[in-house]
Amino acid sequence: MSSPSKRREMDLMKLMMSDYKVELINDGMQEFYVHFHGPSDSPYDGGVWRIRVELPDAYPYKSPSIGFINRIYHPNVDEMCGSVCLDVINQTWSPMFDLVNVFEVFLPQLLLYPNPSDPLNGEAAALMMRDRSAYELRVKEYCQKYAKPEDAGATAEEKESDEELSEDEYMSDDEMAGQADP
Amino acid sequence: MPSGACKISSLDSSRISSISPKLPPPRRKTPKKSSVDTCQPVDVHHGVAEAGPSNSPSSGESPAEKEKLLETDNRVSESKYEICDGSGGGGAVDVMSVLEELALAAAEEELELSADQIRVNDQLQENELLAMESIYGENVIIRDRQRGLRTFQIHIEPKIHDELTIATKLCTTSNKMEMASTSSLDEFSYSFGVQFLPPIVLTCSFPASYPSHKPPRFTISVQWLDSLKISSLCSVLDSIWMELQGQEVMYQWIDWLQSSSLSYLGIHQQIILGPYGIKAIGDRRAVSESISPDSDIPLLMRYNDEQVRESFLNNLHECCICFSEHPGIDFVRLPCQHFFCRSCIGTYSDLHVSEGTVNKLLCPESKCGGMIPPSTMKHFLGDDKYVRYESLMLQKTLDCMSDAVYCPRCEFVCIEDEDHFAQCSKCFFSFCSLCKSARHVGEPCISPESKLQLLEASLVSASRITGAQRRLELENKINDIIRELENRINEIMSEMEVARVCKICPHCKMAISKIDGCNKMVCGSCGKYFCYLCNKPINGYEHFRGGACKLFQTVSPDQWQERTNGRRAVSRLRSELNQERTNGRQALRRLRSELNLGRGHKCPLCSQENVKTDNNNHVFCWACQTHYCYLCRKVVKRSSEHFGPKKCKQHTAG
């Protein structure tokens, strides 16, 4: 592989420049955390997730591994450990894709259009096929319980800078959206 | 045999062909160059009619009146100049002859210059040429001196911003008379974009009186402009000279042609080719090489493509996978036109072949999905990996075909129909693809339990077959195997022979073996030409003028070595085959001997059937009470005398 680090550097930089909050782990550029917001036209709207991205050695020829740190209810995401079913990413991966692609295009698509044919979370897949509205309700529940901004926040400093904004948002959300009753 | 004729024979003896004797090469038309010492204007152009009597410029002796001089020059040029037919003479104009003519026309006005002046001019000309060479490098070509005067050519590439569109109107009528009144319905215009235009060729010759008194004589030759437009360029050059009289003017000319000529002609976004086939009367010095849309358009396109490719190869580009910069030659371009650097494609291919995910070996560009051609793959994988790639591809493709099944007997691929029945095209076994046993129309598939029962039953019945029946079966089987083996051996032998002595016609794939003659072959089956050495299709003797392939070739030591190696390989294969044969025969004999156990034979005396026991060749006939040897059929008096190590063996199998 010619200059593997250059590609990784560029990708990381591009990700950071597109206003994603990125936390590097141990400077190795192998793993890092990214804060991801649910796409606005999906039941995942409003949720904030901390996502762990791991770049394999063969990156960009092999797809990165994606894992959700806080819980999410999705047919292709394992509920307990948060790892995304690899095949779903593998199938569509191309060396031209970069990290921004993953967060701007791929993940939102995955959340909007889950792939029920090969589910990690069988129950979620079954519910989605059987009763769409119940499924959406369940998703929102989980968002409320586990995907609040502070759930995704990690360090104290970040929390401080985030808190002013997130508190406001939180308040307005509460008033406008109201609680979803099970 | 006359030289040039070759005899070829293929393995099929009925096809014998020969090549026609060598044709004389087409005579090339060389333009006549007028000799230096004649002063009469000679017709040196083919295809251009000689017009009018020779004229000498009427006036203009005064060296100061350069304008008048130029005018008369033009008049002289105009009266002689006529394009008869746009499709004919335009391209064949030799600019050197034009310059020659101009020189001749101006010869009468050769000025009286002092030796000093001539020397000064000479020096200035020398300097100017050197300067141009250093600025324009390869684009300046110094030609042989014409009449002792410096002559050179400059290729000027006009600057194009972004892209230019070239358009041309194509008429369906070719009749010139009707052209004027052609309705617009018959016309349609064809246009395409280019980033590079063939250069404007400015050919100049310095007279002795340049730069002090006279300008350089020149012609402008352009591929994509008609003569009127070029004439206007000529007049601009004239006016530039007027402003700079007495000074060197080449740089200004070149610079203007390069940067401002297009906008001067009003060309900003589009060039319209043509007009064609119209009698144009323009400046003598304007040489238009625009002949017809049929020739111009491909030429312009080809030039553009070549230049685009050149510029790609020479410049640095960034690979969109690894983001590192490489020169253009380090890139691989796929058929879908996307390009990536070699190391990226190499890593990409390697990874997928190693992992077996060859389905994903498509163009890395997102949403492109173009295939990577196998030839590219072969280049990047080693031989071993390529083999693996091929087998994987086959497997995956067959897997995709949902109705592909494998014959249970010979493993050959077959297609099943909607009832899950299939017939193998190799061994003709009709089977059901679900249970893999013989076709059972109307009945459901046999269950595994019943299948087992059937097998057991057949085993039992098999063991009950009498010795004779079994013998027969086995014999038949052996004979089949022998026949198959022999057929295969023959096939391989003939293939080997073909490969050793023949070449395959590149057009129709007929195997052809050359007995004698030259290397220009005419295929006996399809009649097309090919070269016996490199096996490529050819048009004629042109191919052998290049130097790579010789028409009559003696075998070089390297080739001899190759042939010997080839022969060695052939003999090795042969010995392998023989070995196989021997093995086969031995196995055959063994099997036969098994059968012969208990086989009856006739007593030499009384013809009664006897049986050899315990492999003992000493047989006692129970009918006539004689002892005889099974091997030589002679009566044996004493066993120890007849049998021994050097005589008939006592015990042999079979």
Side-chain angles (χ1 to χ4, degrees):
Chain A
M1 269 160 285
S2 58
S3 55
S5 50
K6 182 153 189 199
R7 166 69 196 245
R8 287 173 192 234
E9 271 173 36
M10 291 285 290
D11 277 7
L12 255 180
M13 234 178 19
K14 276 200 246 174
L15 190 64
M16 291 187 190
M17 309 247 278
S18 333
D19 293 331
Y20 281 96
K21 205 172 342 183
V22 179
E23 298 164 34
L24 283 173
I25 305 172
N26 74 339
D27 283 343
M29 282 199 288
Q30 292 271 82
E31 298 176 34
F32 42 88
Y33 293 107
V34 182
H35 285 229
F36 174 72
H37 297 258
S40 41
D41 34 356
S42 77
Y44 298 92
D45 182 24
V48 183
W49 286 272
R50 191 148 169 251
I51 293 187
R52 181 170 168 279
V53 181
E54 186 184 332
L55 301 178
D57 281 336
Y59 183 81
Y61 305 102
K62 301 210 89 180
S63 59
S65 311
I66 313 277
F68 285 80
I69 300 296
N70 41 331
R71 281 168 73 158
I72 181 172
Y73 192 73
H74 188 279
N76 299 111
V77 182
D78 188 279
E79 210 181 307
M80 287 303 131
C81 74
S83 55
V84 180
C85 167
L86 254 190
D87 221 28
V88 180
I89 312 179
N90 263 353
Q91 299 278 357
T92 46
W93 181 257
S94 140
M96 292 271 296
F97 288 161
D98 62 0
L99 294 170
V100 178
N101 257 117
V102 172
F103 286 95
E104 300 260 282
V105 177
F106 176 75
L107 272 183
Q109 263 205 345
L110 184 63
L111 294 191
L112 273 165
Y113 308 106
N115 185 354
S117 57
D118 193 11
L120 260 181
N121 187 342
E123 189 211 313
L127 185 62
M128 189 184 93
M129 304 303 281
R130 211 176 42 231
D131 188 350
R132 186 77 199 212
S133 39
Y135 163 77
E136 292 187 4
L137 225 56
R138 195 79 185 274
V139 166
K140 290 200 181 101
E141 252 181 50
Y142 268 67
C143 286
Q144 286 292 324
K145 273 199 243 170
Y146 304 111
K148 301 232 253 330
E150 57 262 28
D151 294 324
T155 57
E157 300 101 67
E158 282 185 25
K159 259 203 189 155
E160 270 170 26
S161 49
D162 272 7
E163 248 173 358
E164 290 132 85
L165 291 166
S166 57
E167 266 181 24
D168 286 343
E169 282 179 25
Y170 184 82
M171 302 295 263
S172 50
D173 267 351
D174 238 354
E175 286 165 28
M176 281 159 54
Q179 289 283 343
D181 288 323
Chain B
M1 193 174 336
S3 67
C6 308
K7 252 214 214 136
I8 324 156
S9 86
S10 59
L11 285 183
D12 183 356
S13 59
S14 62
R15 300 171 194 268
I16 300 177
S17 58
S18 62
I19 305 174
S20 56
K22 202 169 190 166
L23 296 165
R27 221 178 300 135
R28 238 194 269 148
K29 275 168 127 181
T30 46
K32 279 191 286 176
K33 284 229 164 78
S34 62
S35 50
V36 181
D37 32 34
T38 59
C39 291
Q40 308 137 9
V42 181
D43 174 25
V44 291
H45 294 289
H46 34 267
V48 177
E50 162 102 49
S54 57
N55 5 11
S56 44
S58 43
S59 59
E61 297 89 355
S62 153
E65 306 226 55
K66 290 199 181 81
E67 214 171 85
K68 239 184 167 184
L69 267 178
L70 282 170
E71 255 183 37
T72 42
D73 264 350
N74 279 346
R75 250 185 280 131
V76 162
S77 333
E78 278 168 22
S79 59
K80 271 198 191 170
Y81 186 60
E82 221 179 55
I83 306 180
C84 306
D85 182 1
S87 60
V93 171
D94 183 13
V95 294
M96 288 315 199
S97 339
V98 176
L99 279 180
E100 184 64 35
E101 282 203 32
L102 289 173
L104 288 166
E108 309 240 337
E109 301 143 30
E110 226 20 88
L111 308 159
E112 294 291 328
L113 294 172
S114 64
D116 253 352
Q117 184 70 73
I118 294 180
R119 224 182 315 122
V120 167
N121 280 348
D122 194 66
Q123 191 60 51
L124 289 172
Q125 289 177 14
E126 185 71 37
N127 292 345
E128 196 175 14
L129 262 185
L130 282 173
M132 283 204 297
E133 269 187 313
S134 62
I135 301 173
Y136 298 109
E138 311 177 316
N139 289 333
V140 175
I141 305 168
I142 310 239
R143 307 286 288 257
D144 294 334
R145 285 188 179 227
Q146 238 191 8
R147 305 167 123 245
L149 305 170
R150 289 185 177 80
T151 316
F152 55 94
Q153 246 179 6
I154 308 155
H155 291 251
I156 305 168
E157 276 160 28
K159 278 209 192 92
I160 306 180
H161 308 283
D162 282 339
E163 224 188 45
L164 258 184
T165 320
I166 301 189
T168 179
K169 286 206 170 52
L170 301 165
C171 272
T172 52
T173 56
S174 55
N175 191 334
K176 276 182 275 180
M177 300 297 283
E178 287 181 14
M179 264 231 232
S181 53
T182 312
S183 69
S184 56
L185 289 169
D186 284 340
E187 290 183 352
F188 66 99
S189 83
Y190 177 77
S191 63
F192 58 97
V194 293
Q195 293 167 338
F196 297 92
L197 278 175
I200 299 172
V201 182
L202 177 69
T203 318
C204 298
S205 168
F206 285 157
S209 49
Y210 169 78
S212 59
H213 295 89
K214 288 249 207 105
R217 282 188 284 273
F218 66 89
T219 63
I220 301 182
S221 162
V222 190
Q223 190 75 48
W224 32 274
L225 288 176
D226 63 294
S227 49
L228 273 175
K229 292 205 187 77
I230 307 179
S231 308
S232 63
L233 294 180
C234 293
S235 23
V236 172
L237 292 193
D238 292 335
S239 61
I240 295 179
W241 166 254
M242 298 297 274
E243 289 173 34
L244 298 170
Q245 282 178 24
Q247 296 173 42
E248 289 102 326
V249 78
M250 286 311 305
Y251 179 73
Q252 277 78 3
W253 277 1
I254 299 172
D255 192 49
W256 184 85
L257 282 172
Q258 192 173 41
S259 48
S260 323
S261 53
L262 284 181
S263 47
Y264 174 81
L265 292 172
I267 295 170
H268 300 284
Q269 301 280 7
Q270 195 186 60
I271 297 180
I272 300 186
L273 293 177
Y276 296 103
I278 300 179
K279 279 189 190 172
I281 301 174
D283 196 328
R284 180 82 158 130
R285 304 166 293 179
V287 179
S288 165
E289 289 182 25
S290 167
I291 308 173
S292 72
D294 297 336
S295 57
D296 287 349
I297 293 179
L299 212 130
L300 292 168
M301 282 181 141
R302 216 187 354 244
Y303 183 83
N304 184 52
D305 287 341
E306 277 172 11
Q307 291 303 307
V308 166
R309 193 165 166 271
E310 270 281 322
S311 114
F312 176 80
L313 287 178
N314 291 334
N315 291 333
L316 283 178
H317 301 274
E318 192 187 68
C319 169
C320 20
I321 295 180
C322 60
F323 293 126
S324 50
E325 286 205 334
H326 296 283
I329 39 180
D330 273 350
F331 280 83
V332 174
R333 199 183 273 270
L334 299 177
C336 52
Q337 298 305 307
H338 297 127
F339 56 90
F340 306 95
C341 76
R342 305 183 88 87
S343 44
C344 283
I345 293 276
T347 321
Y348 184 63
S349 325
D350 218 54
L351 186 81
H352 283 295
V353 171
S354 308
E355 304 223 326
T357 51
V358 288
N359 278 338
K360 305 252 259 40
L361 266 179
L362 305 169
C363 170
E365 182 80 29
S366 48
K367 299 202 180 124
C368 171
M371 249 212 77
I372 303 185
S375 48
T376 316
M377 294 303 298
K378 191 158 193 180
H379 188 258
F380 283 103
L381 306 166
D383 280 334
D384 300 332
K385 286 232 159 120
Y386 185 66
V387 167
R388 180 175 153 85
Y389 162 75
E390 279 192 319
S391 60
L392 279 169
M393 284 297 282
L394 180 64
Q395 207 182 312
K396 300 267 171 182
T397 318
L398 288 176
D399 288 344
C400 283
M401 292 169 62
S402 52
D403 56 355
V405 293
Y406 293 91
C407 170
R409 280 195 186 159
C410 63
E411 308 268 328
F412 194 63
V413 174
C414 323
I415 313 277
E416 62 172 355
D417 60 20
E418 59 267 355
D419 294 326
H420 297 287
F421 292 138
Q423 183 174 41
C424 176
S425 46
K426 203 174 182 188
C427 65
F428 300 110
F429 178 42
S430 290
F431 61 95
C432 166
S433 62
L434 296 172
C435 63
K436 300 284 187 187
S437 54
R439 197 164 116 149
H440 46 85
V441 186
E443 290 170 12
C445 283
I446 199 168
S447 70
E449 296 85 20
S450 358
K451 208 170 184 180
L452 197 60
Q453 280 177 1
L454 266 175
L455 269 172
E456 282 176 359
S458 68
L459 257 174
V460 170
S461 58
S463 57
R464 280 210 214 108
I465 296 175
T466 60
Q469 254 187 305
R470 194 146 165 269
R471 257 180 262 138
L472 209 60
E473 272 182 35
L474 278 173
E475 271 235 50
N476 286 339
K477 272 211 176 120
I478 289 169
N479 286 336
D480 284 4
I481 294 171
I482 296 172
R483 230 177 300 134
E484 236 189 82
L485 253 175
E486 282 182 0
N487 281 343
R488 240 186 335 164
I489 290 172
N490 283 336
E491 262 178 36
I492 296 174
M493 295 272 314
S494 54
E495 266 176 30
M496 271 170 34
E497 195 63 35
V498 169
R500 192 173 70 85
V501 299
C502 298
K503 295 268 173 155
I504 310 289
C505 167
H507 298 109
C508 64
K509 313 295 175 205
M510 170 66 59
I512 293 180
S513 136
K514 186 175 86 161
I515 296 178
D516 201 351
C518 74
N519 289 318
K520 174 172 175 273
M521 310 291 280
V522 175
C523 171
S525 142
C526 66
K528 301 215 172 81
Y529 295 137
F530 69 97
C531 168
Y532 198 70
L533 295 171
C534 61
N535 227 144
K536 290 203 187 106
I538 61 177
N539 281 330
Y541 291 98
E542 277 295 325
H543 176 81
F544 299 100
R545 290 204 197 110
C549 293
K550 295 225 168 60
L551 194 54
F552 287 94
Q553 187 129 352
T554 49
V555 181
S556 71
D558 294 358
Q559 288 175 321
W560 200 87
Q561 190 65 32
E562 266 181 43
R563 275 199 202 161
T564 333
N565 288 344
R567 290 216 179 92
R568 267 194 231 128
V570 165
S571 53
R572 186 174 40 87
L573 278 165
R574 276 228 176 90
S575 62
E576 277 179 21
L577 262 168
N578 282 337
Q579 190 60 38
E580 269 189 48
R581 261 201 190 127
T582 332
N583 289 347
R585 288 218 177 93
Q586 276 177 355
L588 184 61
R589 242 180 274 133
R590 246 195 318 234
L591 284 162
R592 278 226 170 96
S593 73
E594 272 179 45
L595 290 174
N596 283 341
L597 256 177
R599 181 189 237 188
H601 60 274
K602 294 213 166 106
C603 166
L605 292 179
C606 63
S607 303
Q608 178 58 52
E609 276 216 11
N610 278 292
V611 171
K612 194 171 97 163
T613 50
D614 290 335
N615 285 338
N616 199 338
N617 290 321
H618 185 159
V619 186
F620 177 71
C621 174
W622 57 270
C624 63
Q625 312 280 317
T626 42
H627 303 255
Y628 65 89
C629 169
Y630 170 69
L631 292 173
C632 57
R633 302 301 168 103
K634 287 203 187 124
V635 177
V636 168
K637 297 234 169 80
R638 280 233 197 129
S639 167
S640 47
E641 275 180 41
H642 183 90
F643 293 105
K646 290 197 180 162
K647 305 165 221 171
C648 292
K649 290 218 168 83
Q650 174 95 47
H651 292 95
T652 56

